[in-house]
Amino acid sequence: MKHPVVLIADPLSPAAVDALGEDVEIRHVDGTDRTALLAAVRDADALLVRSGTRADAEVIDAAPRLKVIGRAGVGLDNVDVAAATRAGVLVANTPTANIVSAAEMTCALLLAAARNVPQAGHALKQGSWERSRFTGVELAGKVLGIVGLGRIGVLVAERMTAFGMKVIAYDPYVVGDRATELGIEMTGLDDLLTRADFVTVHLPRTPETIGLIGADALRKAKPTAYFVNVARGGIIDEAALADALRAGDIAGAALDVFETEPPSGSPLLTLDNVVVTPHLGASTYEAQEKAGTQVAESVALALKGAPVPNAVNAPSPYAESMA
Ligand SMILES: NC(=O)c1ccc[n+]([C@@H]2O[C@H](COP(=O)([O-])OP(=O)(O)OC[C@H]3O[C@@H](n4cnc5c(N)ncnc54)[C@H](O)[C@@H]3O)[C@@H](O)[C@H]2O)c1
Ligand SMILES: O=C(O)CC[C@@H](O)C(=O)O
């Protein structure tokens, strides 16, 4: 009997391949090579992606056998869930597999920006021992503003509270006493922007959140404020951010994600007060093993017609956008 074809379009942990079992035929394609992807998906019963591959309506239409798309990670802005649902294709992600890694990355970038770690390290490797130039700021006693108090936002709050930061948050969808229990003050976005010494966004990329932090928002911030984005490019408008950084309206930024990835030619890459990483929030062995295993298990269940935990086809109030 012919086994169902599982097409892996982004680099996944070997644990994912193990968890798929022996009853499938595994094929690989570079999902960023559009022509190769559209050809390979034609025979696929399942498609496995991370954030690098766009599983949009064109890909889904090119895949007449497709039953399931597995997203090893949280964000669904690269998967057209509505088109998949219309085509009867189940979509499943791994909503908790990489949240600790993403939160730790956020803390790392906060600290790196506050203490100029990459800039000072780079200068030293170039032979320059410049201690006063890289004087930083302490986090203790400072206000951390978290925009989007979901799974990752809460983990960041817990960790940065241990550094002595006062945490305030904006999230109109948070209900209940969770924030109070954690000592987090919920507030409005404008209040957060005017009070925060560090602002970190932990939102899905949706029509509502794209450009949420734009020129107006940045104008409200303290000139000493730092902005961190380990969520999705475009939630902080990059052109407005570059303008604010150049004008000294804010002190610095740390970015793991970009409107276009890779962000070739972005002015943000040329600014000294910007710390950047190439979308590494989920890139730990632990997170990738969990994400790979969980998504493979979901795909194996879907191919058997069994119920799948973490299926996301149901309408969501903040369904991620393909914009
Ligand atoms: N850099 C990385 O590698 C990496 C890794 C994991 C996740 N992410 C990104 O981080 C995002 C957040 O992940 P999460 O697990 O915390 O998701 P989550 O769904 O648990 O939390 C998102 C929060 O945002 C809130 N929200 C939605 N729209 C909002 C709005 N307009 N204003 C304010 N708050 C709003 C929701 O109420 C929710 O509490 C993901 O969608 C993904 O895009 C990035
Ligand atoms: O590892 C990746 O592909 C990044 C995933 C991350 O951005 C997510 O949304 O889970």
Side-chain angles (χ1 to χ4, degrees), residues 74-314:
V74 180
L76 288 160
D77 49 316
N78 60 323
V79 179
D80 191 334
V81 179
T85 306
R86 281 195 299 276
V89 174
L90 188 137
V91 180
N93 69 348
T94 65
T96 58
N98 63 28
I99 55 174
V100 168
S101 289
E104 289 181 357
M105 187 67 176
T106 307
C107 301
L109 288 182
L110 266 163
L111 284 156
R115 301 304 295 272
N116 303 306
V117 172
Q119 300 94 324
H122 180 71
L124 181 54
K125 287 183 176 179
Q126 303 288 310
S128 152
W129 181 264
E130 295 175 276
R131 297 179 64 208
S132 9
R133 179 175 161 209
F134 295 117
T135 304
V137 291
E138 281 189 350
L139 300 184
K142 300 284 171 27
V143 175
L144 173 64
I146 299 184
V147 183
L149 194 64
R151 294 184 183 94
I152 297 170
V154 164
L155 294 178
V156 170
E158 288 171 346
R159 283 153 181 74
M160 296 325 293
T161 301
F163 273 77
M165 297 192 88
K166 152 88 182 157
V167 181
I168 62 177
Y170 165 68
D171 189 327
Y173 304 109
V174 162
V175 286
D177 298 328
R178 181 89 175 109
T180 320
E181 280 165 24
L182 293 166
I184 302 169
E185 178 189 334
M186 298 304 293
T187 188
L189 182 57
D190 284 356
D191 184 58
L192 180 148
L193 289 164
T194 51
R195 287 169 58 200
D197 299 295
F198 291 82
V199 176
T200 181
V201 296
H202 297 288
L203 303 164
R205 182 177 154 98
T206 71
E208 192 190 20
T209 65
I210 292 169
L212 184 71
I213 309 291
D216 286 349
L218 291 162
R219 261 193 295 275
K220 291 178 181 130
K222 294 180 180 180
T224 49
Y226 291 79
F227 280 73
V228 179
N229 187 357
V230 181
R232 276 297 178 275
I235 293 171
I236 304 180
D237 183 277
E238 286 185 6
L241 181 64
D243 286 346
L245 287 160
R246 279 198 211 96
D249 293 342
I250 60 171
L255 307 170
D256 182 49
V257 287
F258 300 88
E259 285 172 12
T260 304
E261 295 182 357
S264 324
S266 166
L268 291 162
L269 301 184
T270 66
L271 299 177
D272 284 344
N273 49 354
V274 180
V275 173
V276 289
T277 45
H279 202 149
L280 292 182
S283 293
T284 62
Y285 293 108
E286 293 84 352
Q288 287 311 313
E289 184 164 332
K290 278 184 268 181
T293 308
Q294 289 171 18
V295 81
E297 285 167 359
S298 291
V299 163
L301 287 170
L303 289 175
K304 288 184 192 130
V308 174
N310 302 327
V312 296
N313 297 71

